[in-house]
């Protein structure tokens, strides 16, 4: 086929799914354009380690152009997508002219969901980007710095109280990492903060942590994180979040730092396509990963609501997105060659979550592992899936150093420090009933 007549595949999003699709089309007789609003691919499963000073941002990110430099048929465009014109098969961009496509792959990921309470966002940030992670790191470290010189015991207690909302893998990993940071690493470098000053509270609305894991592993995770000194509150709902702290049920927790890990919302892909999304904002797709009533638009990763053969929704994790990206690439090649392809089938190779040093859980179906062995498996798996040998070596070396010395070398307060931390971080007084 003449190169000028080759089909054009546009991929929106350079996450796990988008990159997998681009790599899968590397040798195909097509032209590929990958569009992303950032110039780097981010290994999101380790963002919490940036937020807790375990790793630097560059350790878990890599330039998209560098990753795809050997893909001769692939062009990278740095721009933001504002819509999709499915009738004329065009993608509407912010800076560039509308871009035509023969096939479109939407892999735009997800953002935080506050379940209708977006006003909580400034006080309980989540971590989805490097900017999010460094902002949380700044907030955590500044709370410790200010607690070092605070003489009022109530204010100091509030400064050293950290509330994590959400008991999924991200919340559990974040709570364990903050507990280790506050009680082991940082406490050695301060003179007024002792290992018992910090208080880490993990709040989960459900009846157990890590709901996607078997109950036995959930129970082991709860025991392990409590051994780190984290206070776990199950079956409790967050009522409000503000700069003073978090209201849980009828009890107020005075805290300068709250972190959101309770829910995500898909990107605006459903709106672009004019499709009614599911409750999480995802595009319902068939087993061929195509958008409803479309032969040329594929939706993958966190953007897609995809069911397995048993009718169970696939989780929003990196392995699902990567396998879907490869499947879409194979589908496009098969269409070009006039062949058919089997429906998408997700191969679940296991589920991992770490709690802290030497503590993790791993679910491989019939085989379940916890403790030191699961932690080693978690470390190996995450190093293996990082982009580039440089990042794998640096992260492995950092983890080894942290393990041997109990220190975190990325304890840098960068960016603008907010001057408006409340002057009095003390528990609210009980309201007296009005005498009418």
């Amino acid at each position: 086929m003449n190169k000028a007549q080759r089909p054009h595949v546009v991929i929106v999003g350079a996450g796990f799914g988008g990159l997998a699709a681009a790599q899968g089309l590397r040798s195909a007789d097509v032209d590929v354009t990958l569009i992303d609003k950032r110039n780097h691919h981010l290994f999101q499963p380790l963002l919490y380690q940036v937020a807790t000073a375990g790793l630097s941002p560059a350790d878990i990110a890599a330039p998209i152009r560098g990753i795809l430099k050997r893909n001769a048929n692939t062009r990278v465009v740095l721009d933001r997508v504002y819509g999709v014109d499915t009738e004329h098969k065009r993608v509407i961009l912010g800076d560039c002219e509308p871009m035509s496509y023969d096939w479109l792959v939407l892999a735009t990921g997800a953002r935080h969901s506050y379940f209708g309470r977006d006003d909580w966002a400034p006080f309980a940030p989540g971590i989805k980007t490097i900017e999010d992670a460094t902002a949380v790191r700044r907030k955590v470290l500044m709370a410790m710095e200010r607690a070092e010189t605070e003489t009022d015991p109530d204010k100091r207690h509030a400064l050293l109280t950290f509330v994590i909302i959400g008991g999924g893998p991200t919340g559990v990993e974040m709570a364990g990492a903050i507990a280790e940071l506050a009680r082991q690493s940082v406490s050695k470098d301060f003179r007024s903060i002792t290992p018992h000053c910090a208080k880490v509270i993990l709040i989960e609305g459900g009846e157990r942590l890590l709901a996607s894991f078997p109950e036995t592993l959930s129970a082991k995770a709860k025991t392990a994180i409590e051994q780190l000194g984290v206070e776990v509150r199950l079956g409790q709902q967050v009522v409000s979040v503000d700069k003073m702290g978090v209201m849980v049920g009828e009890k107020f927790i005075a805290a300068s730092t709250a972190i959101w890990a309770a829910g995500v919302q898909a990107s605006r892909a459903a709106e672009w396509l004019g499709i009614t999304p599911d409750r999480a904002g995802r595009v319902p797709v068939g087993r061929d990963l195509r958008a409803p009533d479309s032969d040329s638009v594929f939706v993958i990763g966190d953007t897609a609501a995809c069911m397995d053969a048993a009718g169970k929704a696939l989780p929003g994790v990196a392995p699902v997105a990567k396998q879907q990206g490869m499947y879409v690439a194979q589908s496009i090649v098969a269409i070009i060659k006039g062949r058919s392809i089997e429906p998408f089938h997700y191969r679940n190779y296991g589920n991992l979550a770490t709690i802290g040093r030497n503590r993790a859980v791993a679910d491989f179906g019939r085989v379940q592992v916890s403790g030191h062995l699961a932690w080693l498996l978690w470390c190996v798996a995450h190093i293996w899936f990082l982009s580039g040998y440089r990042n794998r070596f640096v992260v492995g070396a950092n983890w080894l150093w942290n393990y041997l010395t109990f220190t975190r070398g990325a304890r840098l307060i960068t960016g603008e420090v907010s001057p408006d931390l409340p002057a009095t971080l003390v528990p609210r007084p009980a309201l007296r009933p009005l005498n009418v």
Side-chain angles (χ1 to χ4, degrees):
M1 184 179 290
N2 190 305
K3 183 174 181 180
Q5 300 175 338
R6 295 203 305 186
H8 185 207
V9 181
V10 175
I11 302 171
V12 182
F16 292 105
L19 279 184
Q23 296 287 29
L25 293 169
R26 175 179 174 181
S27 301
D29 194 18
V30 297
D31 291 319
V32 180
T33 300
L34 179 62
I35 305 171
D36 199 284
K37 61 185 178 182
R38 292 182 172 84
N39 78 330
H40 57 268
H41 166 70
L42 182 62
F43 192 77
Q44 284 191 343
L46 291 181
L47 260 180
Y48 82 95
Q49 293 218 358
V50 175
T52 54
L55 295 172
S56 295
D59 297 341
I60 63 168
I64 300 170
R65 295 184 187 277
I67 296 172
L68 299 177
K69 63 183 178 182
R70 300 186 185 278
N71 293 34
N73 67 340
T74 303
R75 181 170 67 121
V76 178
V77 173
L78 184 68
D79 206 340
R80 184 184 294 270
V81 173
Y82 284 92
V84 176
D85 180 0
T86 54
E87 181 179 355
H88 299 95
K89 302 180 79 168
R90 301 185 306 171
V91 177
I92 310 304
L93 302 175
D95 297 326
C96 304
E97 293 296 319
M99 185 176 296
S100 299
Y101 64 84
D102 293 292
W103 286 284
L104 174 63
V105 183
L106 295 177
T108 46
R111 60 189 188 276
H112 309 301
S113 173
Y114 291 88
F115 308 110
R117 295 303 306 267
D118 291 343
D119 55 309
W120 295 355
F123 313 112
I127 49 170
K128 280 291 181 184
T129 67
I130 286 178
E131 293 81 4
D132 293 338
T134 54
V136 169
R137 182 182 68 183
R138 178 169 61 248
K139 191 171 186 178
V140 170
L141 295 180
M142 277 305 304
M144 295 177 180
E145 291 287 347
R146 291 175 175 175
E148 172 76 357
T149 56
E150 181 57 64
T151 56
D152 185 289
D154 290 328
K155 297 177 185 178
R156 189 180 194 188
H157 176 76
L159 284 165
L160 292 176
T161 298
F162 305 92
V163 178
I164 295 85
I165 304 167
T170 300
V172 169
E173 291 170 351
M174 177 68 73
I178 290 180
E180 290 185 337
L181 171 68
R183 297 180 180 231
Q184 295 178 5
S185 300
V186 174
S187 61
K188 296 180 180 179
D189 298 339
F190 287 77
R191 297 298 174 261
S192 300
I193 299 176
T194 70
H196 302 290
C197 288
K199 185 175 185 179
V200 182
I201 302 172
L202 177 60
I203 301 171
E204 165 58 33
E207 296 304 317
R208 61 188 180 96
L209 300 178
L210 302 178
S212 60
F213 284 74
E215 289 189 21
T216 53
L217 291 182
S218 294
K220 290 181 179 179
K222 181 175 182 293
T223 300
I225 201 166
E226 286 176 337
Q227 290 173 347
L228 286 174
V230 176
E231 180 183 334
V232 178
R233 299 190 183 186
L234 300 177
Q236 300 189 20
Q237 301 295 328
V238 173
V239 176
S240 67
V241 184
D242 57 28
K243 65 181 181 180
M244 303 296 291
V246 180
M247 181 70 74
V248 183
E250 297 181 353
K251 296 183 178 179
F252 180 75
I253 303 173
S256 69
T257 304
I259 300 170
W260 187 262
V264 295
Q265 182 83 5
S267 67
R268 297 172 56 195
E271 179 184 332
W272 297 343
L273 299 174
I275 294 171
T276 301
D278 70 355
R279 291 190 302 174
R282 300 173 299 181
V283 177
V285 298
R287 295 288 304 284
D288 58 359
L289 303 183
R290 298 193 201 197
D293 303 321
S294 176
D295 292 330
S296 58
V297 179
F298 296 88
V299 186
I300 62 176
D302 291 345
T303 316
C306 182
M307 305 295 175
D308 61 16
K312 183 180 179 181
L314 295 179
V317 294
V320 171
K322 294 182 73 169
Q323 291 183 34
Q324 288 178 335
M326 290 300 298
Y327 175 87
V328 166
Q330 294 167 5
S331 295
I332 292 173
V333 172
I335 293 170
I336 292 173
K337 295 182 178 180
R339 300 199 308 258
S340 60
I341 188 172
E342 294 292 324
F344 174 72
H345 174 70
Y346 171 55
R347 293 173 176 81
N348 187 356
Y349 296 108
N351 203 4
L352 301 164
T354 185
I355 295 107
R357 180 186 180 90
N358 292 332
R359 296 174 172 88
V361 291
D363 175 27
F364 300 107
R366 295 182 180 179
V367 179
Q368 299 174 6
V369 185
S370 61
H372 195 185
L373 176 59
W375 180 75
L376 289 174
L377 291 171
W378 181 91
C379 291
V380 171
H382 282 69
I383 290 175
W384 176 260
F385 285 112
L386 278 167
S387 297
Y389 292 105
R390 181 261 178 198
N391 283 5
R392 293 172 188 170
F393 174 79
V394 170
V395 170
N398 267 329
W399 283 351
L400 179 61
W401 180 255
N402 293 347
Y403 184 83
L404 296 175
T405 64
F406 290 90
T407 60
R408 292 173 178 250
R411 298 200 307 270
L412 307 177
I413 299 175
T414 58
E416 183 178 356
V417 178
S418 174
D420 57 355
L421 271 181
T424 55
L425 285 165
V426 296
R428 294 172 174 173
L431 295 177
R432 296 181 180 179
L434 295 175
N435 295 322
V436 180

